[in-house]
Amino acid sequence: GENVEQHPSTLSVQEGDSAVIKCTYSDSASNYFPWYKQELGKRPQLIIDIRSNVGEKKDQRIAVTLNKTAKHFSLHITETQPEDSAVYFCAASKGYGGATNKLIFGTGTLLAVQP
Amino acid sequence: DTEVTQTPKHLVMGMTNKKSLKCEQHMGHRAMYWYKQKAKKPPELMFVYSYEKLSINESVPSRFSPECPNSSLLNLHLHALQPEDSALYLCASSQFQTEKLFFGSGTQLSVL
């Protein structure tokens, strides 16, 4: 089955710096890669996602890149702010339904943005 | 309405109690999920309902019993739980199975 590895487990940056979180997946049939942000005591929230037919997607200060050949995808946050501090989870799935299809989460990255 | 609503927010129960967790969404989503999350860990899938039918049961012990009365509601019935079942229980929904999950705020469950 699918396995998703995520690194680093913790990341501390200064406000205004960039942060990069990396994930590797094992199943080459996976084609949908979302990222979730979970603030302390809150629900996970989808912040950006990418499908395997594109290599990069941006939304303001957040971008995701996908390398299908290497089975890597990464989250990039520029100009970090204290409110970016949270746990970030990557995930992978085969997408588009299917009765046995499920989202496999990475182990999470605790991002701390120091003011 | 873009919310998934879960009740109760907190629950403390003894090992002999029976309780239910409730989840509701009015986004017209056809897939609904129960996840269990321990502190500092990713959400762990328990059950998936697609079009009101159970499509995935991740070998969850029978002391957890899901129910999907209609396309907007999802329940999780709890009976004879163990202390190790203490966790945050998250409900989620999506338009189709595995697509863009919207999570509820969860029920923090403590089993004494």
Side-chain angles (χ1 to χ4, degrees):
Chain A
E2 176 67 283
N3 183 50
V4 178
E5 294 187 1
Q6 183 171 350
H7 299 281
S9 56
T10 60
L11 179 59
S12 182
V13 300
Q14 291 295 123
E15 183 176 357
D17 287 351
S18 295
V20 180
I21 302 170
K22 299 182 179 182
C23 289
T24 304
Y25 60 99
S26 60
D27 189 342
S28 56
S30 290
N31 57 20
Y32 175 64
F33 307 94
W35 286 87
Y36 287 84
K37 174 184 180 183
Q38 188 173 25
E39 296 175 51
L40 189 62
K42 300 282 182 68
R43 72 188 81 189
Q45 289 195 292
L46 178 70
I47 55 171
I48 195 166
D49 56 5
I50 191 169
R51 298 191 188 278
S52 58
N53 57 346
V54 298
E56 185 175 3
K57 185 176 178 181
K58 285 185 182 178
D59 183 2
Q60 299 183 334
R61 296 186 297 108
I62 291 172
V64 57
T65 58
L66 172 64
N67 181 329
K68 283 190 294 183
T69 304
K71 291 189 275 188
H72 289 168
F73 58 112
S74 300
L75 178 71
H76 304 255
I77 306 174
T78 58
E79 300 171 23
T80 53
Q81 300 167 3
E83 52 264 38
D84 294 328
S85 296
V87 178
Y88 291 80
F89 293 103
C90 63
S93 79
K94 295 187 180 68
Y96 291 118
T100 60
N101 198 8
K102 54 189 176 183
L103 204 55
I104 306 298
F105 283 91
T107 48
T109 296
L110 175 60
L111 173 64
V113 179
Q114 309 297 333
Chain B
D1 185 355
T2 58
E3 286 254 328
V4 176
T5 304
Q6 284 188 248
T7 56
K9 293 195 185 307
H10 302 276
L11 180 61
V12 179
M13 59 187 290
M15 290 190 284
T16 58
N17 291 159
K18 284 185 182 181
K19 296 286 185 184
S20 296
L21 309 184
K22 296 186 183 301
C23 176
E24 190 168 3
Q25 59 89 12
H26 295 289
M27 294 178 278
H29 288 172
R30 303 319 302 262
M32 296 187 77
Y33 312 76
W34 282 114
Y35 282 86
K36 173 182 176 180
Q37 187 177 29
K38 293 274 197 180
K40 301 183 181 179
K41 297 288 187 183
E44 180 185 335
L45 184 64
M46 300 175 71
F47 302 104
V48 181
Y49 275 84
S50 181
Y51 291 87
E52 299 163 50
K53 287 186 167 52
L54 184 65
S55 60
I56 294 179
N57 175 343
E58 289 286 89
S59 302
V60 178
S62 60
R63 57 186 184 268
F64 295 91
S65 176
E67 178 195 19
C68 189
N70 60 53
S71 60
S72 300
L73 294 174
L74 186 66
N75 299 322
L76 186 63
H77 303 296
L78 314 173
H79 173 55
L81 294 193
Q82 304 296 309
E84 59 265 29
D85 296 322
S86 298
L88 180 67
Y89 287 83
L90 292 162
C91 174
S93 71
S94 63
Q95 182 71 12
F96 304 109
Q97 192 163 324
T98 75
E99 292 291 297
K100 296 186 190 293
L101 267 62
F102 288 78
F103 284 90
S105 54
T107 295
Q108 188 64 55
L109 174 67
S110 296
V111 182
L112 304 178

